[in-house]
Amino acid sequence: MSKLFYKKISLFLVLLSLCGFLIACTNFAKKDDDGGKTPTPNIPSIIISGGASSVKVEESTPKFVATLYNYDGTSVPTYKWTVDPSQAGTFGNSNNAESVFTAGNQSYSSVKIEMTASVDGNLYKISKNISIVDKDNPIPNIPSIAISGGASSVKVGESTPKFVATLYNYDGTSVPTYKWTVDPSQAGTFGNSNNVESVFTAGSTSYPSVKIEMTASVDGQILNASKTISIIQDGQTPPPSLEVPNGPTSPSDPNIKSWQVSSDLWIPNSNTTPAAAKARFQRFLSREDFEILFPNRYGMGEWYPSNPATQPVFDYYSYDNLLTAAEVVANIVLIYGYRKNPDGTLNSYAPQTSVLHKNNGTKAYIMSQHPDFDVDWNINKPIQYQAIDFGEFLAHQLDNDNKREIATMLAHMTQETSGGEGVQGRIDKALWWNEETSYIWGWTDPGYVSTEDKTYPPTPGQSYHGRGPKQLSWNYNYGLFSDIFFLDKHVLLDNPSLLVQNGALGYMTAIAFYMTPQGKKASMHQVIDSNYKFDDQAYADSHGFKIGFGLTIIIINGGLEGGLTEADPRVGTRVGAYRNICRRNGANIDGEKLDTAGMSAWE
């Protein structure tokens, strides 16, 4: 792979990190979700202060306070507190400038608290998002610690840049104590293991995966954070890293057209930012649960002794890579445009595909379109757009749906990557492979190549066989996902092996696939929502569709796995893994349709 390619990746990672920070700090005052921005000078405005960012079910927040700024009149304002959804809770005095919010008996990942003030015939609105958590769950914003800096790999005998520990959400006055450790202990040493910053020096042996851990103690609380790195021999190439939300600021092809997305199609939302997406992953799938569920994933646990490697092996399916993927894809909005026929139906087979990276504001780029999209008989028809915000993953209103969602995606990954039988729900060898095994064991002929596709033509000599947790296949899929992630189809068309070199990128393909509808077929994200309604109920009834995990199997592989019970090993693996993960994260799946018996393919 060329040095120019890696420089290009590094450049847009830096640009995105900066631009992502800028867009996160920019919003209109009347849509301020954090309630803490300085109001526009000399124009009446309102802000929300106090309250809390989260509250447990059936408990109350401190008072939310609405303050009207820059109003010089003499009229007395009227106030109105509301909550969306309305059943999430109540305000003690909804018509006062100050009011306590009491949560109902249902947890929500995101609830909108809104204040509307009326004065001199003008309305001023502001909102703030909070979460409602189960009583046995910890309230967010408790002290926590994170690791930054350092490196994702280091050569034997050499040192990393400084790893830095940062303590968040601690308002006390005690001085924390810190301790850096490494597992296995013989992998290397820290220069100053009791400092908040420390360099790690690798020993003389290479390791596919080494766990760097920081333990901080403050006010009797023990806080932990860890990071996985690899130690490589001289001459080995470490896997490329995607440790920050990435996204180029513009396509590499100057001929690609852009357009401004209107607010009736998509608007920035504080609940779907990269930071919010990462926080939700950590909430609904803890590092501890992940390690317990997938101890023998590729390069880890029992895997490594069982599979002598001919190349450097690393923790491809690491928890950190999953968090990075969640952050990265949350920066992306995929937009499909369909020509609308006079009878109201859509030409869904011939879409136009645009991609919006949130660090670009509301600018979207037209990356591809079907040849029939602008033909004579179609070009004058109106366009109906559909926006898919990848940042909405795990952002259902009901916490139970979010728990089921993470279980759904991981259960399907289990079937795609398993190294053992899973009929009884066994997932001890899930995430075992990251590539089709025939290619792992030496097959070299290019596979899954479609020379007929003109939008994403194959690069000569490259193979587009299944790679990553979703086993992405075919050049037209590699090209599409390359457009989505990099605004450049050539990145993955020219370098498809990047998917097995970078675990975060692999996870990104799985999340994006999970979130994306396919023509008339809904996405798995849509149908796992308890409140999902079919666009065509008659069609759904005729195919036996029932909302639940079983319907996500129909979406993935209904042609081969439709109409089957758990006795089928493929369906059994998926359902068994789903049950195990739901049992681990506490999701309630009582009465849910889990297999595909009675359901046929969704065409």
Side-chain angles (χ1 to χ4, degrees):
M1 200 173 295
S2 71
K3 292 182 179 179
L4 179 60
F5 172 76
Y6 283 116
K7 288 181 179 178
K8 177 180 179 182
I9 295 289
S10 300
L11 177 60
F12 74 62
L13 290 176
V14 173
L15 290 173
L16 175 66
S17 182
L18 176 60
C19 295
F21 171 78
L22 293 175
I23 190 67
C25 296
T26 306
N27 207 339
F28 294 107
K30 68 177 181 179
K31 292 183 179 178
D32 182 359
D33 281 330
D34 62 18
K37 295 185 178 173
T38 303
T40 305
N42 302 320
I43 300 175
S45 61
I46 194 167
I47 68 167
I48 297 174
S49 59
S53 60
S54 61
V55 61
K56 292 186 177 182
V57 295
E58 299 180 332
E59 295 187 6
S60 300
T61 66
K63 284 183 178 178
F64 286 99
V65 180
T67 306
L68 191 63
Y69 283 88
N70 300 315
Y71 174 64
D72 301 323
T74 58
S75 300
V76 178
T78 61
Y79 297 95
K80 181 67 176 177
W81 293 99
T82 56
V83 56
D84 182 21
S86 59
Q87 65 268 28
T90 57
F91 281 95
N93 190 335
S94 62
N95 300 115
N96 202 326
E98 302 180 2
S99 187
V100 164
F101 173 75
T102 302
N105 60 6
Q106 175 67 59
S107 60
Y108 291 82
S109 61
S110 181
V111 166
K112 183 179 180 182
I113 301 296
E114 187 167 61
M115 159 52 62
T116 302
S118 175
V119 62
D120 290 341
N122 295 313
L123 292 178
Y124 302 96
K125 291 187 178 184
I126 191 168
S127 63
K128 177 182 179 76
N129 287 333
I130 70 170
S131 59
I132 301 175
V133 301
D134 293 327
K135 286 188 175 181
D136 56 352
N137 284 347
I139 289 286
N141 299 327
I142 61 174
S144 61
I145 197 165
I147 298 174
S148 59
S152 59
S153 62
V154 61
K155 291 183 178 179
V156 294
E158 297 188 2
S159 300
T160 66
K162 284 182 179 179
F163 286 99
V164 179
T166 304
L167 189 63
Y168 289 95
N169 300 315
Y170 176 63
D171 300 323
T173 57
S174 300
V175 178
T177 61
Y178 297 96
K179 180 67 175 179
W180 293 99
T181 56
V182 56
D183 184 20
S185 58
Q186 64 268 28
T189 57
F190 279 95
N192 189 335
S193 63
N194 300 115
N195 202 331
V196 69
E197 301 180 1
S198 188
V199 165
F200 173 75
T201 301
S204 58
T205 304
S206 61
Y207 288 85
S209 180
V210 166
K211 183 180 180 182
I212 301 296
E213 185 166 50
M214 158 52 62
T215 302
S217 175
V218 60
D219 289 342
Q221 297 185 72
I222 303 298
L223 309 172
N224 298 93
S226 63
K227 179 182 178 75
T228 301
I229 70 171
S230 56
I231 299 176
I232 60 175
Q233 296 284 353
D234 190 37
Q236 291 180 340
T237 302
S241 174
L242 284 174
E243 293 191 350
V244 295
N246 72 317
T249 54
S250 62
S252 58
D253 183 350
N255 296 315
I256 291 177
K257 297 178 180 179
S258 66
W259 56 289
Q260 292 295 326
V261 175
S262 62
S263 59
D264 60 341
L265 177 60
W266 178 85
I267 58 173
N269 183 339
S270 64
N271 197 43
T272 64
T273 63
K278 180 179 179 180
R280 285 196 302 274
F281 256 88
Q282 292 172 308
R283 181 181 173 199
F284 293 112
L285 181 71
S286 70
R287 184 183 297 273
E288 178 185 7
D289 284 346
F290 180 84
E291 296 293 344
I292 290 172
L293 287 167
F294 305 107
N296 301 313
R297 59 191 182 270
Y298 180 89
M300 300 294 289
E302 294 178 11
W303 187 96
Y304 198 71
S306 304
N307 296 277
T310 57
Q311 58 183 359
V313 177
F314 56 100
D315 189 2
Y316 179 86
Y317 290 116
S318 72
Y319 184 76
D320 290 317
N321 280 342
L322 182 56
L323 291 184
T324 297
E327 250 186 316
V328 173
V329 297
N331 185 57
I332 300 170
V333 181
L334 177 63
I335 302 172
Y336 283 130
Y338 303 103
R339 295 290 183 182
K340 191 172 184 179
N341 297 314
D343 63 359
T345 60
L346 301 177
N347 289 332
S348 57
Y349 81 94
Q352 178 192 78
T353 304
S354 298
V355 177
L356 180 152
H357 283 193
K358 296 173 186 177
N359 55 297
N360 284 332
T362 57
K363 180 186 287 186
Y365 291 95
I366 301 173
M367 302 307 300
S368 65
Q369 65 183 35
H370 191 278
D372 286 351
F373 188 80
D374 276 344
V375 293
D376 291 343
W377 55 265
N378 208 24
I379 193 169
N380 292 321
K381 296 176 182 177
I383 303 174
Q384 181 168 313
Y385 291 102
Q386 178 185 24
I388 302 106
D389 188 337
F390 292 157
E392 292 180 355
F393 187 73
L394 297 181
H396 299 281
Q397 284 195 330
L398 296 178
D399 275 2
N400 196 62
D401 287 347
N402 291 318
K403 293 174 183 179
R404 291 170 52 241
E405 177 147 274
I406 190 66
T408 296
M409 188 180 75
L410 291 172
H412 291 313
M413 287 185 193
T414 296
Q415 163 61 17
E416 301 294 336
T417 64
S418 176
E421 294 299 324
V423 175
Q424 302 303 320
R426 181 179 165 200
I427 59 173
D428 59 320
K429 289 189 176 181
L431 306 183
W432 187 265
W433 302 116
N434 67 350
E435 188 173 11
E436 281 192 40
T437 54
S438 58
Y439 288 88
I440 290 177
W441 301 119
W443 187 263
T444 58
D445 290 350
Y448 301 86
V449 175
S450 171
T451 57
E452 297 178 1
D453 192 274
K454 305 305 178 185
T455 303
Y456 299 115
T459 298
Q462 295 295 344
S463 177
Y464 302 100
H465 58 269
R467 296 180 175 96
K470 185 57 197 75
Q471 292 292 283
L472 190 71
S473 306
W474 296 101
N475 47 289
Y476 44 80
N477 285 322
Y478 277 78
L480 172 62
F481 279 93
S482 191
D483 267 348
I484 292 171
F485 299 150
F486 302 106
L487 299 182
D488 183 350
K489 65 183 180 182
H490 296 291
V491 173
L492 293 182
L493 283 175
D494 294 350
N495 304 275
S497 61
L498 188 61
L499 270 184
V500 293
Q501 297 169 3
N502 192 301
L505 188 57
Y507 274 132
M508 286 165 61
T509 64
I511 297 172
F513 178 81
Y514 180 93
M515 294 294 295
T516 304
Q518 304 167 46
K520 296 179 180 179
K521 191 187 301 183
S523 70
M524 289 180 278
H525 170 74
Q526 290 173 298
V527 305
I528 209 67
D529 194 295
S530 300
N531 297 314
Y532 175 72
K533 305 296 182 186
F534 293 102
D535 290 337
D536 188 341
Q537 188 63 53
Y539 179 87
D541 291 342
S542 69
H543 287 68
F545 294 165
K546 303 293 183 185
I547 299 299
F549 178 76
L551 189 54
T552 69
I553 302 177
I554 292 294
I555 290 173
I556 285 184
N557 201 21
L560 296 177
E561 296 181 40
L564 300 173
T565 67
E566 293 179 59
D568 178 86
R570 297 160 301 179
V571 174
T573 297
R574 298 184 197 273
V575 175
Y578 180 68
R579 278 202 189 94
N580 278 350
I581 299 167
C582 287
R583 189 179 301 119
R584 183 73 200 173
N585 70 9
N588 182 357
I589 59 173
D590 292 346
E592 183 175 347
K593 174 67 172 173
L594 302 182
D595 62 17
T596 64
M599 295 193 285
S600 55
W602 195 337
E603 303 294 346

